[in-house]
Amino acid sequence: MRAPGATAVAAALLTAATLLTAPHTARAAPDAPARPASPGGCDPLGGGTACLLPFPNDWYTRPDPGTPTGRRLAFGRGTFPRGTLSGDTDPAAWNRLDGFSPGSTLLAHVPDVDLRASGAAPVTDIRASLDRDAPLVLLDRDTGRRMPYWAELDANAPGADRRALLVHPARNLKDGHHYAVAVRGLKDAAGRTLPVRPEFARAAGPALPHGDPLRARQRALRPVLRDLERAGVERQDLQLAWDFTVAGTRSLAGDLLTLRDDAFRGLRGRAPAHRVTKVEDFTEAEDPRIAREVHGEITVPSFLDRPGGPPGSLLHRSPGPYGRPRQLPGNTQTASFQCEIPRTAFARPSRPALYGHGLLGRRKEVAAANVKAMAAEHNYTFCATDWTGMAEEDIPTVLAALSDLGRFPAIPERSQQGLLGALFTGRALIHRDGLTTGPAFRTADGRPLVDRRAGLVYDGNSQGGILGGALLAASPDIARGVLGVPGMNYGLLLDRSAAFTRFRPVLDRAYPDKLDQQLYLALAQMVWDHGEANGYANHLTRDPLPGTRPHQVLMHVAYGDHQVPPVAAEVEARTLGARLVTPALAPGRSPDRVPYWGIRPAGKLPYRGSALVIWDSGTPTPPLSNTPPTGPAYGRDPHSDPRNAPAARRQKAAFLSTGRVVDVCDAAPCTAPPAP
């Protein structure tokens, strides 16, 4: 993700200091509900440890024939974890959805469980999750197929009484599908089978009489148990079971597509309004690679609820609880851009490309040495705009959201406006009346420096590799993109990222209970899906979203990455159907029983299609738990190494130009020297 500079974070922490001064105490677990259980209230199957457990869970939905899934979320006020700095969270932003995240981590609390003794599939042996007798089963109720996953206990929890069981899908679940979860045969460290909770035993047992507090829960559970039995999971073996629905495509992508379609329709075939504000020419002595730097602004319709869409804004929506975004009359904002034109473009017009910057950064990253090298070596003009919503100016909003879950929707909703800004910048680059027709993008005698007809491509690193997946999926103009040191699903990767360690004290202060923190991450991801690749990955390379075409994606992963955990990239690669360039690693380098299980090899290169390439700088293997690789045992961070390797840049350029993944590593595992 490439953490923002210390100065920016320090300034934002000072801005947020007032949020962090309130006294706090660890919150006790809520009591099990005494009144009859009803959908939307705490699920009695959770045992009273935390209201929302187990999670995700259709107990927190209601029937709605007007949605593609037939469900609508129905969280009651007071069911979300309550922070020490905030009151109850308004669930309205969540209750617009018709299901849960396609990358949902499954959460439960199972006291005294020992996953090794239970034989649960670890991250090093995902294949074991599909064993006939696996103690955890994730079943697609629509297809009858079992889904792969890995299981772990929250390594951040200080004790078993508040330690979550985490089950991570090894590839994203299908939009709109219904899933069942079965827990059976879990054991403690001594190998003793754990007892069944009495609430589940009663709900899964004989019919309960009218008026019984668990009768409604039993009725909701019965069809789940029948589907599990058809899949070979016997009712008498169960310790826990529940079901959930994944949000439909319209729920996940509909807001961004509404922004895109309304905004592009308003262009009426014209180029986005733009202006150049600064042009700076460099002598070869000043910069041997870049001849000209261009700054300017693109006018973008704003769908945010405040004029100009400042940090903290939300989408302005049509009336009603499920309203779609709509533009306030006359509300626009500017997407500032910066372009780097290489010297080679003065001999032959360069290819236009968008660049995506790192975590909470700025567009000026397009002038980084590795981007300039890519531009000069392979004749690309790279242009970047800020990732509005996840840019440097949004750091105070991010800190506020970490202190109060109710403020979290401002991040992904403003991020969608930022994605629209990038889409408009791309259109301005390739339109016949766009940026490249002006003198800033031409030689003194009028020759073009950018060949707009060559087609627009994308290259992004870190956060640019995470949000870039959403941009590509929604883009009508970009056919191919490179996602550098990528991943998806912030709810999965934050615990594992060293870049998050400087932000974690805010979350620890506001939500000190580690079980609450896991619920916070799961709930945050449900709305974050709309602003990052996790909500769009099922439609990135196949089954394209309306108004787009299938895309080709090249993923460059740094083995042992400290900031974006490679495991998140592997989930993305399985979801995209990307092929693995082999040999991926030297023999014995991976701790996995079957390295990169579930990712098919690309075979002999060149390969035409989406692919995953592992770049190894010799960094130790990252932790196998949900903890970041910090400390001397994990060596130096290789996060920046692939983009700084000339061989990796050659592979990127060949892919962006031709769609073919070529061999730049002499049929051996790819290695990247440590970046300077």
Side-chain angles (χ1 to χ4, degrees):
M1 291 187 292
R2 193 153 186 88
T7 301
V9 175
L13 283 169
L14 286 173
T15 302
T18 55
L19 297 171
L20 305 177
T21 56
H24 72 279
T25 56
R27 185 170 60 84
D31 294 330
R35 62 182 182 274
S38 59
C42 299
D43 187 349
L45 300 188
T49 309
C51 181
L52 289 178
L53 294 181
F55 190 86
N57 191 336
D58 268 356
W59 185 250
Y60 301 102
T61 68
R62 61 175 175 81
D64 187 338
T67 70
T69 66
R71 310 296 301 178
R72 178 77 68 180
L73 295 189
F75 289 115
R77 194 161 189 132
T79 56
F80 285 14
R82 194 172 193 219
T84 62
L85 307 174
S86 59
D88 289 337
T89 298
D90 183 352
W94 286 263
N95 288 347
R96 278 193 292 268
L97 309 177
D98 67 359
F100 297 87
S101 172
S104 290
T105 293
L106 315 182
L107 302 173
H109 182 247
V110 185
D112 301 321
V113 67
D114 186 297
L115 294 182
R116 185 181 181 89
S118 302
V123 68
T124 54
D125 191 9
I126 291 173
R127 182 208 57 77
S129 67
L130 301 178
D131 285 351
R132 182 177 180 83
D133 60 349
L136 301 165
V137 174
L138 176 54
L139 177 72
D140 185 331
R141 297 178 65 191
D142 294 338
T143 65
R145 296 182 61 188
R146 288 172 55 177
M147 306 301 295
Y149 62 83
W150 77 93
E152 61 189 0
L153 295 175
D154 181 12
N156 301 290
D161 60 326
R162 304 298 288 170
R163 179 178 294 138
L165 168 62
L166 311 173
V167 181
H168 305 285
R171 65 172 178 266
N172 269 15
L173 307 176
K174 293 295 186 182
D175 297 3
H177 281 221
H178 301 77
Y179 291 86
V181 186
V183 179
R184 57 183 180 176
L186 291 184
K187 297 177 171 60
D188 64 16
R192 296 183 294 259
T193 301
L194 296 174
V196 180
R197 284 183 180 146
E199 299 91 350
F200 180 76
R202 293 186 66 233
L208 297 170
H210 290 283
D212 190 288
L214 286 174
R215 181 175 169 83
R217 193 64 186 94
Q218 183 180 67
R219 292 181 63 188
L221 185 62
R222 278 179 171 174
V224 181
L225 300 179
R226 285 196 297 268
D227 285 352
L228 287 170
E229 285 182 324
R230 281 195 287 265
V233 181
E234 298 298 330
R235 185 178 308 201
Q236 63 268 21
D237 296 334
L238 290 172
Q239 293 163 313
L240 182 63
W242 77 94
D243 70 319
F244 66 96
T245 301
V246 173
T249 303
R250 192 171 75 189
S251 185
L252 291 164
D255 283 354
L256 180 57
L257 295 183
T258 296
L259 267 66
R260 183 200 68 183
D261 293 347
D262 286 0
F264 275 78
R265 191 180 303 115
L267 292 174
R268 301 180 187 276
R270 300 185 297 268
H274 56 274
R275 71 185 186 100
V276 171
T277 58
K278 180 182 177 182
V279 178
E280 188 171 4
D281 289 311
F282 304 109
T283 66
E284 192 164 1
E286 291 173 322
D287 193 324
R289 295 171 295 193
I290 300 300
R292 181 176 293 173
E293 185 175 273
V294 181
H295 298 256
E297 297 175 338
I298 308 290
T299 300
V300 184
S302 178
F303 291 80
L304 298 172
D305 61 357
R306 286 189 265 168
S313 299
L314 295 166
L315 289 173
H316 173 65
R317 296 181 180 275
S318 56
Y322 315 129
R324 284 292 184 205
R326 66 177 186 180
Q327 184 185 5
L328 282 171
N331 194 17
T332 64
Q333 61 189 95
T334 55
S336 298
F337 67 83
Q338 179 173 331
C339 297
E340 305 292 320
I341 303 177
R343 296 194 176 280
T344 52
F346 284 77
R348 177 171 56 89
S350 58
R351 184 166 191 163
L354 290 181
Y355 179 77
H357 67 69
L359 178 65
L360 298 170
R362 298 177 61 189
R363 62 190 177 278
K364 66 180 181 180
E365 189 183 306
V366 75
N370 67 90
V371 186
K372 288 183 175 182
M374 179 74 178
E377 293 164 5
H378 303 288
N379 201 28
Y380 284 91
T381 286
F382 282 102
C383 296
T385 186
D386 292 346
W387 286 123
T388 298
M390 287 290 286
E392 186 176 290
E393 66 179 358
D394 297 291
I395 294 176
T397 301
V398 171
L399 292 169
L402 289 171
S403 68
D404 180 356
L405 178 60
R407 302 167 91 168
F408 200 92
I411 297 174
E413 294 200 8
R414 193 165 185 262
S415 290
Q416 291 174 79
Q417 180 69 41
L419 290 167
L420 179 61
L423 292 172
F424 258 49
T425 302
R427 177 60 62 89
L429 274 172
I430 61 172
H431 195 279
R432 63 181 181 276
D433 299 319
L435 280 170
T436 58
T437 62
F441 292 86
R442 291 184 176 268
T443 63
D445 60 359
R447 289 183 293 110
L449 295 171
V450 178
D451 181 6
R452 64 174 184 82
R453 295 170 297 181
L456 183 67
V457 294
Y458 175 81
D459 187 6
N461 288 297
S462 197
Q463 182 180 276
I466 298 170
L467 273 65
L471 178 72
L472 290 172
S475 174
D477 296 325
I478 306 173
R480 290 188 290 274
V482 175
L483 304 180
V485 285
M488 65 180 190
N489 192 341
Y490 280 105
L492 167 66
L493 64 85
L494 286 184
D495 272 345
R496 291 172 153 81
S497 172
F500 187 58
T501 55
R502 66 180 67 188
F503 297 94
R504 183 171 283 283
V506 182
L507 184 63
D508 286 342
R509 180 80 176 182
Y511 296 90
D513 181 87
K514 292 301 181 182
L515 200 52
D516 281 352
Q517 283 190 15
Q518 291 301 326
L519 286 166
Y520 175 102
L521 292 174
L523 289 163
Q525 188 58 48
M526 291 174 63
V527 291
W528 219 340
D529 279 346
H530 309 288
E532 62 115 322
N534 193 64
Y536 302 86
N538 282 327
H539 307 281
L540 180 47
T541 57
R542 47 198 174 186
D543 189 20
L545 294 171
T548 67
R549 51 186 170 175
H551 300 81
Q552 290 178 288
V553 176
L554 176 63
M555 303 173 66
H556 273 187
V557 170
Y559 186 80
D561 196 324
H562 288 193
Q563 298 187 49
V564 181
V567 70
E570 293 165 33
V571 174
E572 185 171 14
R574 292 187 194 96
T575 303
L576 303 184
R579 298 292 185 92
L580 179 69
V581 171
T582 56
L585 292 171
R589 184 76 165 106
S590 171
D592 295 351
R593 183 171 181 177
V594 178
Y596 302 102
W597 179 90
I599 306 174
R600 296 173 62 188
K604 185 178 180 181
L605 300 183
Y607 169 72
R608 183 177 292 276
S610 297
L612 171 68
V613 182
I614 310 301
W615 293 86
D616 191 354
S617 305
T619 295
T621 298
L624 302 179
S625 57
N626 65 323
T627 51
T630 54
Y634 296 104
R636 59 173 295 280
D637 184 5
H639 186 66
S640 298
D641 293 349
R643 75 191 84 168
N644 281 288
R649 294 197 293 266
R650 287 199 306 274
Q651 189 177 66
K652 291 198 298 183
F655 177 80
L656 292 173
S657 297
T658 68
R660 297 190 305 167
V661 182
V662 300
D663 180 13
V664 294
C665 303
D666 297 325
C670 288
T671 59

